Amino acid sequence: MDAEEVAAECGTFGNRCRDFRAGALNEKFLLKMAATGTLRSVRRTFCAAHSSWTSRGLATVIPKVSQVDNSSDFLGKVPHRKHPGICNLKTVKLPPELVKAACSLVAESSVRNLENKSKAFINYLWSRKRPLEAADLCRKAQELEQKLRGTRMAAPQEGELTSLDEEDETKLQRMVLKALRRTSYHWEALEYTNELSFVYMVARMDGVFAAVCRAFHEIQKRVPEFQPSTLLDFGSGTGAVSWAAHSMWGKTLKEYMNIDSSAPMLALAEKLMKGLSEDQNLHFPGVYFRQFLPVSPKVKFDLVVSAFSLNELTSYSHRVETVQALWRKTDGFLVLVENGTKEGHQMLMEARDVVLKGMDKVVHDPREARVFAPCPHHLPCPRLSRDHPVPCNFVQMYRPLPFSWNPPQKEEKFFYLIVRRGTGESEEAWPRITQSVLCRPRHVHLHLCCADGHLQHCVITSRRHGRDLYRCARTSSWGDRFPVSNPESQLPLEAEAACEGEDRDENENQH
């Protein structure tokens, strides 16, 4: 083969590489390349490119995903960046009155080293796990005992094991207890004293406000007719939930019931609510502070919230009883918010099962429970696999309290669950975007949790899925709902090009 033929083959090879990225690889050409000894180096380059494209370029698509019919004018006069699936908020700001009250309390406080204490407390709360159940602890102790016993027992003959004497048994038990303490998470109940309550306000009040605002915003946008008049906040802490609810539905809310077992925390929340007012009146009326839930099941609230409180309960059975009690008192929406960790995600999935499966023996309200957000289905969470569980979480940007150690903006990573009393109304089962949206030339990568209970990695292009859906994809972000419908539960997988060229249409860049 002369130089011209080699150059021609190399040129053809470049074209074939582009064809491969478009999903149209010619197998005969591969065989010809493999049989050509003079092009072995080119073949090695091709194999390396093949491996890279396989892991990075190609992606699973939803070939039968269908855009909401344009004939129904689902966008109307709304721009693509505000399509019906948008749920995220821009940077959240705390109410000025709350900021002034918090800064005033910090200026008057005698707590030393507040910066380090608040940062350490944030790290502690983020790494906190659920209390270990007694049955799990016993099982773990038995496994450790069997392992240690096997290493200490001598075997003079094959298949024969000698027994341990009383002294060795005592040593073995001590070793088991020591190993159990070293390898098991030691959960302790937090006692919110005056100082710890103050540190919690400095460290977490702004993040709690941002996460709850994000959850409330989705209810307000998707169900604008929902105008609550009563609110119950379990584990109210500094009262951030009441402030967030007032910012959303202040015109209709008449009662804010704050429940917290800590008297110092309730006193601090009341100080924040009074703020700098000279007459010491609350910033908005109808706010009540209690240490216990109302006993009567007939007392219901339009909106029931528990934000970052379930992990303060001592056991799984205690969490089940609390979730059941909160659901009994829910007349409209139940909103649960926890840290965006594996523990927070699993706790809320436990709570979802408690509500959906109707584990409460006494039924006080015949209306069925329906998951409103973020899950588009009532099936088991696809991220909670036994082999490799991955937390499902979302992010909300906010402006923290204006202390010297805080940056101008921070982000709150959290997971939330909204359950609604069934009304018989049908809602769109649009998938939820579970990761950051990757915008690439002429295509967009989306990771979706779909209504069939499966995770899908799809590639949206204007040519395949339509201009409107493509523009909606480019303007969506992590946590939004994607306005597509897919009637089939099991969808075939096929490869689509991850790159269709470096040139972009000028009109497609205006997003």
Side-chain angles (χ1 to χ4, degrees):
M1 183 179 291
D2 56 15
E4 294 182 358
E5 292 178 349
V6 172
E9 288 291 349
C10 290
T12 306
F13 169 76
N15 295 331
R16 293 300 182 183
C17 289
R18 287 189 290 272
D19 291 341
F20 174 79
R21 296 176 67 185
L25 181 64
N26 191 330
E27 297 181 359
K28 294 183 179 180
F29 176 75
L30 279 180
L31 295 175
K32 182 178 179 181
M33 292 290 294
T36 304
T38 56
L39 296 179
R40 289 178 181 176
S41 60
V42 180
R43 182 183 61 183
R44 287 194 295 268
T45 304
F46 172 78
C47 292
H50 174 276
S51 176
S52 175
W53 294 329
T54 302
S55 60
R56 173 177 55 87
L58 300 182
T60 301
V61 299
I62 304 181
K64 296 185 179 180
V65 70
S66 59
Q67 177 180 343
V68 178
D69 188 6
N70 278 341
S71 62
S72 63
D73 196 18
F74 81 104
L75 281 172
K77 297 182 179 180
V78 178
H80 295 90
R81 66 179 182 276
K82 296 182 180 180
H83 68 78
I86 295 291
C87 300
N88 282 306
L89 279 169
K90 295 183 179 180
T91 304
V92 174
K93 300 178 182 178
L94 274 70
E97 299 82 4
L98 181 59
V99 174
K100 291 179 181 178
C103 291
S104 176
L105 291 176
V106 170
E108 299 173 359
S109 172
S110 60
V111 179
R112 296 182 178 180
N113 204 10
L114 192 56
E115 177 182 355
N116 293 335
K117 288 182 179 179
S118 62
K119 291 181 179 180
F121 194 52
I122 290 175
N123 294 334
Y124 171 74
L125 292 177
W126 181 256
S127 62
R128 202 165 188 230
K129 299 181 180 180
R130 293 167 291 175
L132 193 63
E133 298 296 319
D136 297 334
L137 191 62
C138 291
R139 183 173 61 254
K140 190 173 184 179
Q142 292 175 358
E143 293 175 355
L144 287 172
E145 182 180 358
Q146 292 176 0
K147 182 179 180 180
L148 293 174
R149 187 181 297 274
T151 57
R152 289 180 63 86
M153 293 179 69
Q157 295 181 3
E158 186 176 0
E160 295 185 4
L161 297 177
T162 60
S163 60
L164 300 178
D165 56 18
E166 184 177 352
E167 182 179 356
D168 289 337
E169 284 288 349
T170 303
K171 290 182 180 180
L172 180 64
Q173 296 300 325
R174 291 177 181 174
M175 292 176 63
V176 170
L177 291 176
K178 184 177 179 180
L180 198 62
R181 294 191 189 100
R182 186 178 65 254
T183 59
S184 301
Y185 178 77
H186 183 59
W187 183 89
E188 291 183 354
L190 287 174
E191 183 180 354
Y192 282 95
T193 60
N194 289 327
E195 181 175 339
L196 189 58
S197 300
F198 189 79
V199 173
Y200 183 87
M201 178 200 72
V202 174
R204 291 292 299 136
M205 184 176 68
D206 43 13
V208 173
F209 180 86
V212 174
C213 278
R214 165 64 179 82
F216 287 171
H217 172 72
E218 183 160 353
I219 299 176
Q220 187 183 54
K221 180 173 182 179
R222 293 174 57 185
V223 192
E225 64 274 11
F226 176 69
Q227 299 293 328
S229 60
T230 55
L231 165 72
L232 171 65
D233 180 16
F234 175 78
S236 57
T238 58
V241 172
S242 293
W243 286 91
H246 179 74
S247 65
M248 294 286 178
W249 300 289
K251 295 181 179 179
T252 60
L253 274 172
K254 306 300 180 184
E255 180 181 356
Y256 306 80
M257 182 64 68
N258 293 266
I259 309 295
D260 200 292
S261 59
S262 172
M265 190 71 84
L266 291 177
L268 178 61
E270 188 173 1
K271 288 181 182 180
L272 291 170
M273 194 66 66
K274 291 179 180 179
L276 304 179
S277 61
E278 297 179 357
D279 53 5
Q280 290 297 295
N281 290 331
L282 300 178
H283 179 66
F284 44 89
V287 182
Y288 304 95
F289 301 96
R290 300 286 187 273
Q291 286 187 279
F292 304 98
L293 281 170
V295 178
S296 175
K298 296 182 180 179
V299 179
K300 290 192 173 185
F301 298 83
D302 298 331
L303 184 62
V304 179
V305 184
S306 174
F308 306 95
S309 301
L310 293 182
N311 204 16
E312 302 303 322
L313 305 179
T314 56
S315 63
Y316 170 75
S317 59
H318 194 184
R319 293 196 298 272
V320 170
E321 293 174 0
T322 301
V323 171
Q324 289 176 344
L326 295 178
W327 180 242
R328 290 190 212 111
K329 299 194 174 300
T330 302
D331 193 46
F333 288 91
L334 171 63
V335 180
L336 305 177
V337 185
E338 290 294 335
N339 286 329
T341 59
K342 290 182 181 180
E343 295 294 317
H345 181 207
Q346 291 173 357
M347 276 191 294
L348 292 196
M349 290 298 98
E350 291 175 354
R352 189 185 77 157
D353 292 340
V354 169
V355 176
L356 293 181
K357 294 179 180 179
M359 298 175 64
D360 196 353
K361 296 181 180 179
V362 181
V363 179
H364 301 278
D365 194 325
R367 291 178 295 172
E368 65 176 354
R370 294 191 297 114
V371 177
F372 180 80
C375 311
H377 55 79
H378 292 180
L379 301 171
C381 180
R383 289 200 163 197
L384 289 181
S385 62
R386 294 182 180 180
D387 299 332
H388 186 63
V390 179
C392 182
N393 47 39
F394 304 93
V395 175
Q396 177 59 54
M397 300 298 300
Y398 67 95
R399 291 191 178 179
L401 291 169
F403 301 136
S404 58
W405 57 85
N406 279 337
Q409 285 190 355
K410 295 177 71 175
E411 67 175 21
E412 178 70 14
K413 186 173 289 187
F414 65 98
F415 181 68
Y416 69 107
L417 174 68
I418 305 178
V419 186
R420 184 183 188 183
R421 288 283 183 187
T423 58
E425 300 176 358
S426 60
E427 296 180 358
E428 310 92 345
W430 291 348
R432 180 79 57 171
I433 301 175
T434 59
Q435 296 183 30
S436 298
V437 177
L438 301 178
C439 295
R440 295 293 183 262
R442 293 192 177 183
H443 69 283
V444 181
H445 288 265
L446 295 179
H447 295 267
L448 305 175
C449 180
C450 301
D452 60 358
H454 291 83
L455 297 174
Q456 294 283 359
H457 174 196
C458 65
V459 179
I460 303 298
T461 64
S462 177
R463 175 181 59 82
R464 186 179 184 88
H465 301 99
R467 177 179 176 274
D468 285 338
L469 193 63
Y470 171 73
R471 295 288 294 276
C472 288
R474 295 195 71 89
T475 56
S476 298
S477 56
W478 183 3
D480 288 336
R481 300 163 70 228
F482 195 50
V484 296
S485 58
N486 198 327
E488 298 194 12
S489 58
Q490 296 295 334
L491 298 171
L493 306 180
E494 65 181 49
E496 179 168 314
C499 300
E500 294 188 9
E502 298 297 333
D503 297 333
R504 297 185 185 181
D505 192 317
E506 184 176 348
N507 294 329
E508 292 174 345
N509 276 331
Q510 299 174 359
H511 56 275

